[in-house]
mmCIF file of all heavy atoms in Angstrom:
data_model
loop_
_atom_site.group_PDB
_atom_site.id
_atom_site.type_symbol
_atom_site.label_atom_id
_atom_site.label_comp_id
_atom_site.label_asym_id
_atom_site.label_seq_id
_atom_site.Cartn_x
_atom_site.Cartn_y
_atom_site.Cartn_z
ATOM 1 N N TYR D 1053 178.280 70.915 70.172
ATOM 2 C CA TYR D 1053 177.226 71.566 70.962
ATOM 3 C C TYR D 1053 175.913 70.722 70.820
ATOM 4 O O TYR D 1053 175.655 70.218 69.719
ATOM 5 C CB TYR D 1053 176.970 72.978 70.519
ATOM 6 C CG TYR D 1053 178.017 73.925 71.141
ATOM 7 C CD1 TYR D 1053 179.315 73.985 70.722
ATOM 8 C CD2 TYR D 1053 177.613 74.761 72.190
ATOM 9 C CE1 TYR D 1053 180.248 74.815 71.277
ATOM 10 C CE2 TYR D 1053 178.546 75.575 72.771
ATOM 11 C CZ TYR D 1053 179.839 75.632 72.332
ATOM 12 O OH TYR D 1053 180.796 76.487 72.863
ATOM 13 N N VAL D 1054 175.185 70.619 71.896
ATOM 14 C CA VAL D 1054 174.003 69.786 71.956
ATOM 15 C C VAL D 1054 172.737 70.639 72.111
ATOM 16 O O VAL D 1054 172.695 71.535 72.981
ATOM 17 C CB VAL D 1054 174.062 68.814 73.115
ATOM 18 C CG1 VAL D 1054 172.805 67.945 73.199
ATOM 19 C CG2 VAL D 1054 175.282 67.930 73.039
ATOM 20 N N CYS D 1055 171.727 70.390 71.289
ATOM 21 C CA CYS D 1055 170.420 71.092 71.426
ATOM 22 C C CYS D 1055 169.734 70.614 72.715
ATOM 23 O O CYS D 1055 169.536 69.356 72.852
ATOM 24 C CB CYS D 1055 169.554 70.822 70.221
ATOM 25 S SG CYS D 1055 167.937 71.605 70.319
ATOM 26 N N GLN D 1056 169.390 71.511 73.592
ATOM 27 C CA GLN D 1056 168.751 71.131 74.814
ATOM 28 C C GLN D 1056 167.272 70.741 74.613
ATOM 29 O O GLN D 1056 166.645 70.200 75.535
ATOM 30 C CB GLN D 1056 168.875 72.290 75.858
ATOM 31 C CG GLN D 1056 170.312 72.581 76.214
ATOM 32 C CD GLN D 1056 170.972 71.386 76.886
ATOM 33 O OE1 GLN D 1056 170.648 71.002 78.003
ATOM 34 N NE2 GLN D 1056 171.886 70.750 76.165
ATOM 35 N N ILE D 1057 166.742 71.007 73.412
ATOM 36 C CA ILE D 1057 165.322 70.710 73.160
ATOM 37 C C ILE D 1057 165.202 69.252 72.663
ATOM 38 O O ILE D 1057 164.434 68.511 73.134
ATOM 39 C CB ILE D 1057 164.753 71.712 72.164
ATOM 40 C CG1 ILE D 1057 164.912 73.141 72.590
ATOM 41 C CG2 ILE D 1057 163.270 71.360 71.843
ATOM 42 C CD1 ILE D 1057 164.230 73.550 73.834
ATOM 43 N N CYS D 1058 166.008 68.925 71.598
ATOM 44 C CA CYS D 1058 165.832 67.644 70.930
ATOM 45 C C CYS D 1058 167.039 66.715 71.011
ATOM 46 O O CYS D 1058 166.902 65.525 70.671
ATOM 47 C CB CYS D 1058 165.422 67.833 69.497
ATOM 48 S SG CYS D 1058 166.763 68.414 68.395
ATOM 49 N N GLY D 1059 168.201 67.214 71.449
ATOM 50 C CA GLY D 1059 169.392 66.378 71.564
ATOM 51 C C GLY D 1059 170.290 66.306 70.320
ATOM 52 O O GLY D 1059 171.293 65.653 70.328
ATOM 53 N N TYR D 1060 169.915 67.062 69.296
ATOM 54 C CA TYR D 1060 170.754 67.130 68.108
ATOM 55 C C TYR D 1060 172.167 67.601 68.529
ATOM 56 O O TYR D 1060 172.315 68.548 69.342
ATOM 57 C CB TYR D 1060 170.162 68.082 67.096
ATOM 58 C CG TYR D 1060 171.070 68.445 65.943
ATOM 59 C CD1 TYR D 1060 171.242 67.548 64.858
ATOM 60 C CD2 TYR D 1060 171.797 69.650 65.887
ATOM 61 C CE1 TYR D 1060 172.101 67.898 63.799
ATOM 62 C CE2 TYR D 1060 172.616 69.999 64.880
ATOM 63 C CZ TYR D 1060 172.792 69.086 63.819
ATOM 64 O OH TYR D 1060 173.631 69.414 62.793
ATOM 65 N N VAL D 1061 173.222 67.027 67.968
ATOM 66 C CA VAL D 1061 174.563 67.406 68.238
ATOM 67 C C VAL D 1061 175.164 68.142 67.013
ATOM 68 O O VAL D 1061 175.238 67.517 65.901
ATOM 69 C CB VAL D 1061 175.463 66.212 68.589
ATOM 70 C CG1 VAL D 1061 176.900 66.651 68.858
ATOM 71 C CG2 VAL D 1061 174.931 65.523 69.852
ATOM 72 N N TYR D 1062 175.512 69.373 67.191
ATOM 73 C CA TYR D 1062 176.237 70.079 66.072
ATOM 74 C C TYR D 1062 177.708 69.766 66.199
ATOM 75 O O TYR D 1062 178.319 70.048 67.219
ATOM 76 C CB TYR D 1062 176.038 71.623 66.216
ATOM 77 C CG TYR D 1062 176.884 72.340 65.161
ATOM 78 C CD1 TYR D 1062 176.444 72.321 63.853
ATOM 79 C CD2 TYR D 1062 178.121 72.901 65.457
ATOM 80 C CE1 TYR D 1062 177.275 72.904 62.845
ATOM 81 C CE2 TYR D 1062 178.900 73.495 64.479
ATOM 82 C CZ TYR D 1062 178.499 73.499 63.198
ATOM 83 O OH TYR D 1062 179.238 74.039 62.209
ATOM 84 N N ASP D 1068 177.011 71.959 58.675
ATOM 85 C CA ASP D 1068 175.605 71.787 58.330
ATOM 86 C C ASP D 1068 175.441 72.118 56.860
ATOM 87 O O ASP D 1068 174.850 73.153 56.529
ATOM 88 C CB ASP D 1068 174.769 72.676 59.235
ATOM 89 C CG ASP D 1068 173.246 72.391 59.077
ATOM 90 O OD1 ASP D 1068 172.905 71.425 58.348
ATOM 91 O OD2 ASP D 1068 172.485 73.114 59.734
ATOM 92 N N GLU D 1070 173.625 71.213 54.430
ATOM 93 C CA GLU D 1070 172.277 71.423 53.877
ATOM 94 C C GLU D 1070 171.764 72.845 54.126
ATOM 95 O O GLU D 1070 170.912 73.302 53.406
ATOM 96 C CB GLU D 1070 171.258 70.425 54.489
ATOM 97 C CG GLU D 1070 171.560 68.985 54.044
ATOM 98 C CD GLU D 1070 170.531 68.029 54.642
ATOM 99 O OE1 GLU D 1070 169.487 68.420 55.185
ATOM 100 O OE2 GLU D 1070 170.746 66.804 54.507
ATOM 101 N N ARG D 1071 172.411 73.550 55.102
ATOM 102 C CA ARG D 1071 172.010 74.935 55.358
ATOM 103 C C ARG D 1071 173.167 75.882 55.022
ATOM 104 O O ARG D 1071 173.198 77.000 55.482
ATOM 105 C CB ARG D 1071 171.581 75.030 56.829
ATOM 106 C CG ARG D 1071 170.249 74.418 57.025
ATOM 107 C CD ARG D 1071 169.923 74.237 58.496
ATOM 108 N NE ARG D 1071 168.714 73.530 58.678
ATOM 109 C CZ ARG D 1071 168.536 72.212 58.409
ATOM 110 N NH1 ARG D 1071 169.555 71.435 58.136
ATOM 111 N NH2 ARG D 1071 167.377 71.626 58.586
ATOM 112 N N PHE D 1079 180.917 76.411 66.336
ATOM 113 C CA PHE D 1079 179.590 76.786 66.772
ATOM 114 C C PHE D 1079 179.480 78.331 66.894
ATOM 115 O O PHE D 1079 178.523 78.956 66.502
ATOM 116 C CB PHE D 1079 179.228 76.147 68.095
ATOM 117 C CG PHE D 1079 177.788 76.403 68.557
ATOM 118 C CD1 PHE D 1079 176.756 75.718 68.008
ATOM 119 C CD2 PHE D 1079 177.542 77.365 69.468
ATOM 120 C CE1 PHE D 1079 175.480 75.937 68.402
ATOM 121 C CE2 PHE D 1079 176.238 77.591 69.898
ATOM 122 C CZ PHE D 1079 175.179 76.902 69.361
ATOM 123 N N ASP D 1085 171.305 83.678 63.262
ATOM 124 C CA ASP D 1085 169.966 83.162 62.946
ATOM 125 C C ASP D 1085 169.926 81.689 62.595
ATOM 126 O O ASP D 1085 168.894 81.156 62.214
ATOM 127 C CB ASP D 1085 169.329 83.998 61.853
ATOM 128 C CG ASP D 1085 170.064 83.904 60.532
ATOM 129 O OD1 ASP D 1085 171.210 83.354 60.483
ATOM 130 O OD2 ASP D 1085 169.548 84.415 59.527
ATOM 131 N N TRP D 1086 171.078 81.027 62.749
ATOM 132 C CA TRP D 1086 171.118 79.539 62.508
ATOM 133 C C TRP D 1086 170.176 78.875 63.516
ATOM 134 O O TRP D 1086 170.111 79.274 64.685
ATOM 135 C CB TRP D 1086 172.544 79.028 62.674
ATOM 136 C CG TRP D 1086 172.664 77.592 62.432
ATOM 137 C CD1 TRP D 1086 172.809 76.928 61.251
ATOM 138 C CD2 TRP D 1086 172.658 76.506 63.419
ATOM 139 N NE1 TRP D 1086 172.893 75.594 61.400
ATOM 140 C CE2 TRP D 1086 172.827 75.280 62.730
ATOM 141 C CE3 TRP D 1086 172.561 76.494 64.794
ATOM 142 C CZ2 TRP D 1086 172.839 74.081 63.397
ATOM 143 C CZ3 TRP D 1086 172.565 75.274 65.429
ATOM 144 C CH2 TRP D 1086 172.751 74.076 64.743
ATOM 145 N N GLN D 1087 169.517 77.796 63.071
ATOM 146 C CA GLN D 1087 168.597 77.039 63.935
ATOM 147 C C GLN D 1087 168.895 75.553 63.864
ATOM 148 O O GLN D 1087 169.428 75.102 62.884
ATOM 149 C CB GLN D 1087 167.171 77.296 63.530
ATOM 150 C CG GLN D 1087 166.658 78.694 63.671
ATOM 151 C CD GLN D 1087 165.267 78.856 63.179
ATOM 152 O OE1 GLN D 1087 164.788 78.165 62.284
ATOM 153 N NE2 GLN D 1087 164.568 79.834 63.825
ATOM 154 N N CYS D 1088 168.524 74.872 64.872
ATOM 155 C CA CYS D 1088 168.671 73.419 64.946
ATOM 156 C C CYS D 1088 167.981 72.825 63.740
ATOM 157 O O CYS D 1088 166.816 73.115 63.505
ATOM 158 C CB CYS D 1088 168.068 72.882 66.229
ATOM 159 S SG CYS D 1088 168.072 71.080 66.301
ATOM 160 N N PRO D 1089 168.655 71.978 62.966
ATOM 161 C CA PRO D 1089 168.005 71.426 61.799
ATOM 162 C C PRO D 1089 166.876 70.406 62.103
ATOM 163 O O PRO D 1089 166.082 70.072 61.232
ATOM 164 C CB PRO D 1089 169.138 70.708 61.033
ATOM 165 C CG PRO D 1089 170.190 70.535 62.032
ATOM 166 C CD PRO D 1089 170.020 71.618 63.065
ATOM 167 N N ILE D 1090 166.812 69.964 63.344
ATOM 168 C CA ILE D 1090 165.759 68.994 63.719
ATOM 169 C C ILE D 1090 164.533 69.661 64.300
ATOM 170 O O ILE D 1090 163.437 69.463 63.815
ATOM 171 C CB ILE D 1090 166.300 68.008 64.788
ATOM 172 C CG1 ILE D 1090 167.562 67.299 64.276
ATOM 173 C CG2 ILE D 1090 165.223 67.005 65.215
ATOM 174 C CD1 ILE D 1090 167.380 66.446 63.007
ATOM 175 N N CYS D 1091 164.702 70.585 65.261
ATOM 176 C CA CYS D 1091 163.530 71.158 65.932
ATOM 177 C C CYS D 1091 163.369 72.656 65.737
ATOM 178 O O CYS D 1091 162.419 73.253 66.194
ATOM 179 C CB CYS D 1091 163.563 70.848 67.379
ATOM 180 S SG CYS D 1091 164.879 71.729 68.357
ATOM 181 N N GLY D 1092 164.375 73.315 65.109
ATOM 182 C CA GLY D 1092 164.279 74.806 64.872
ATOM 183 C C GLY D 1092 164.698 75.659 66.058
ATOM 184 O O GLY D 1092 164.511 76.851 66.015
ATOM 185 N N ALA D 1093 165.290 75.062 67.080
ATOM 186 C CA ALA D 1093 165.714 75.799 68.256
ATOM 187 C C ALA D 1093 166.812 76.763 67.859
ATOM 188 O O ALA D 1093 167.583 76.548 66.957
ATOM 189 C CB ALA D 1093 166.170 74.877 69.398
ATOM 190 N N THR D 1094 166.935 77.905 68.559
ATOM 191 C CA THR D 1094 167.977 78.883 68.328
ATOM 192 C C THR D 1094 169.290 78.467 68.995
ATOM 193 O O THR D 1094 169.339 77.558 69.787
ATOM 194 C CB THR D 1094 167.561 80.261 68.800
ATOM 195 O OG1 THR D 1094 167.449 80.234 70.247
ATOM 196 C CG2 THR D 1094 166.246 80.693 68.192
ATOM 197 N N LYS D 1095 170.320 79.188 68.649
ATOM 198 C CA LYS D 1095 171.718 78.898 69.251
ATOM 199 C C LYS D 1095 171.638 78.984 70.768
ATOM 200 O O LYS D 1095 172.421 78.332 71.447
ATOM 201 C CB LYS D 1095 172.708 79.859 68.677
ATOM 202 C CG LYS D 1095 173.121 79.515 67.269
ATOM 203 C CD LYS D 1095 174.175 80.541 66.732
ATOM 204 C CE LYS D 1095 175.466 80.520 67.433
ATOM 205 N NZ LYS D 1095 176.418 81.425 66.823
ATOM 206 N N MET D 1096 170.773 79.841 71.298
ATOM 207 C CA MET D 1096 170.654 80.001 72.717
ATOM 208 C C MET D 1096 170.234 78.713 73.436
ATOM 209 O O MET D 1096 170.433 78.522 74.658
ATOM 210 C CB MET D 1096 169.694 81.137 73.107
ATOM 211 C CG MET D 1096 170.244 82.500 72.735
ATOM 212 S SD MET D 1096 169.047 83.810 73.048
ATOM 213 C CE MET D 1096 168.593 83.534 74.728
ATOM 214 N N ASN D 1097 169.645 77.762 72.714
ATOM 215 C CA ASN D 1097 169.181 76.511 73.263
ATOM 216 C C ASN D 1097 170.210 75.391 73.185
ATOM 217 O O ASN D 1097 169.868 74.276 73.469
ATOM 218 C CB ASN D 1097 167.884 76.070 72.597
ATOM 219 C CG ASN D 1097 166.748 77.013 72.836
ATOM 220 O OD1 ASN D 1097 166.274 77.720 71.953
ATOM 221 N ND2 ASN D 1097 166.260 77.055 74.057
ATOM 222 N N PHE D 1098 171.448 75.764 72.851
ATOM 223 C CA PHE D 1098 172.487 74.781 72.717
ATOM 224 C C PHE D 1098 173.493 74.905 73.946
ATOM 225 O O PHE D 1098 173.658 76.007 74.439
ATOM 226 C CB PHE D 1098 173.276 74.956 71.431
ATOM 227 C CG PHE D 1098 172.605 74.290 70.221
ATOM 228 C CD1 PHE D 1098 171.455 74.816 69.702
ATOM 229 C CD2 PHE D 1098 173.054 73.098 69.684
ATOM 230 C CE1 PHE D 1098 170.780 74.297 68.622
ATOM 231 C CE2 PHE D 1098 172.453 72.516 68.576
ATOM 232 C CZ PHE D 1098 171.330 73.088 68.069
ATOM 233 N N MET D 1099 174.073 73.785 74.308
ATOM 234 C CA MET D 1099 175.083 73.742 75.332
ATOM 235 C C MET D 1099 176.251 72.949 74.853
ATOM 236 O O MET D 1099 176.078 71.996 74.134
ATOM 237 C CB MET D 1099 174.479 73.121 76.636
ATOM 238 C CG MET D 1099 175.408 73.095 77.792
ATOM 239 S SD MET D 1099 174.576 72.382 79.254
ATOM 240 C CE MET D 1099 173.731 73.814 79.839
#
Side-chain angles (χ1 to χ4, degrees):
Y1053 278 74
V1054 180
C1055 177
Q1056 297 298 290
I1057 307 298
C1058 72
Y1060 169 80
V1061 177
Y1062 174 75
D1068 188 4
E1070 291 182 11
R1071 288 167 185 75
F1079 186 79
D1085 63 351
W1086 181 84
Q1087 295 179 330
C1088 175
I1090 303 300
C1091 71
T1094 65
K1095 286 177 67 176
M1096 291 177 51
N1097 295 111
F1098 279 73
M1099 181 178 278

